[in-house]
Amino acid sequence: MGDVQLLAAMLRSDRADVASYARLLAGALAGALPAGMVEVEHRRGLTDRMAGREGRPVAVLVHGQDRDLELREGARGAVEGEIRQVVRGVVISRRAVGVDQWLEALAVDLTRIAARDAAAREALGRLLRPGP
C-alpha cells in the first residue's frame, strides 16, 4: 500500500487544474495504459476551431476495472472529482469526492494495472523514479 500512497503523493504535487492531470494521464502514462482507458474532454472556442486546435481540457475520465474516475473543471476553475461504480457498462452509483480521494483511487487503479501489465509497471517505475 506504500506504493499507492507514494504514487498518489506524486500525482498530487504541483497539479491544481484539470489540464495538468490531462497532460500527465494522456501524455506521460498513455502509452503504458490500456487503449481507451483515459478520455480527455476539451472545450473549443471559436479561435480554437479556426486555428485547428483541440481546445482546453475541461475533464479527464479514467476507466478502471469496475469504476470510472472523473476530474472536471467546476465553477470558477475549481477541480471536482467523481467516482462512479460501473457494472457491465452501466453506472450504478456516483459519489462526489475531493481531489485527494480521487488521486488515491487513481493510484489504486494504476497499481492494479501495473501488477498485471509489464509496460504499465515500467511507466509507473519511471514516474516514481527521482531524477531530471
Side-chain angles (χ1 to χ4, degrees), residues 6-119:
L6 177 61
L7 178 57
M10 294 211 43
L11 291 169
R12 189 178 300 118
S13 68
D14 197 32
R15 289 175 178 81
D17 61 358
V18 172
S20 295
Y21 291 106
R23 278 191 300 274
L24 174 70
L25 293 169
L29 293 177
L33 298 176
M37 183 176 176
V38 177
E39 293 179 34
V40 179
E41 179 184 327
H42 294 87
R43 181 169 295 138
R44 292 178 70 190
L46 178 61
T47 56
D48 292 321
R49 286 191 291 273
M50 290 176 63
R53 294 186 301 247
E54 59 185 9
R56 180 175 56 85
V58 293
V60 176
L61 179 63
V62 180
H63 300 285
Q65 215 170 8
D66 57 354
R67 64 184 176 186
D68 289 345
L69 308 173
E70 182 181 49
L71 270 188
R72 178 167 291 284
E73 184 179 291
R76 299 180 194 95
V79 178
E80 300 170 351
E82 183 176 77
I83 298 176
R84 303 175 191 150
Q85 287 303 123
V86 179
V87 175
R88 294 187 200 115
V90 176
V91 176
I92 61 170
S93 71
R94 297 170 182 265
R95 182 170 41 112
V97 295
V99 174
D100 286 347
Q101 191 173 359
W102 188 91
L103 288 169
E104 289 287 335
L106 176 64
V108 167
D109 285 0
L110 293 176
T111 302
R112 285 181 189 159
I113 291 167
R116 293 189 320 257
D117 186 305

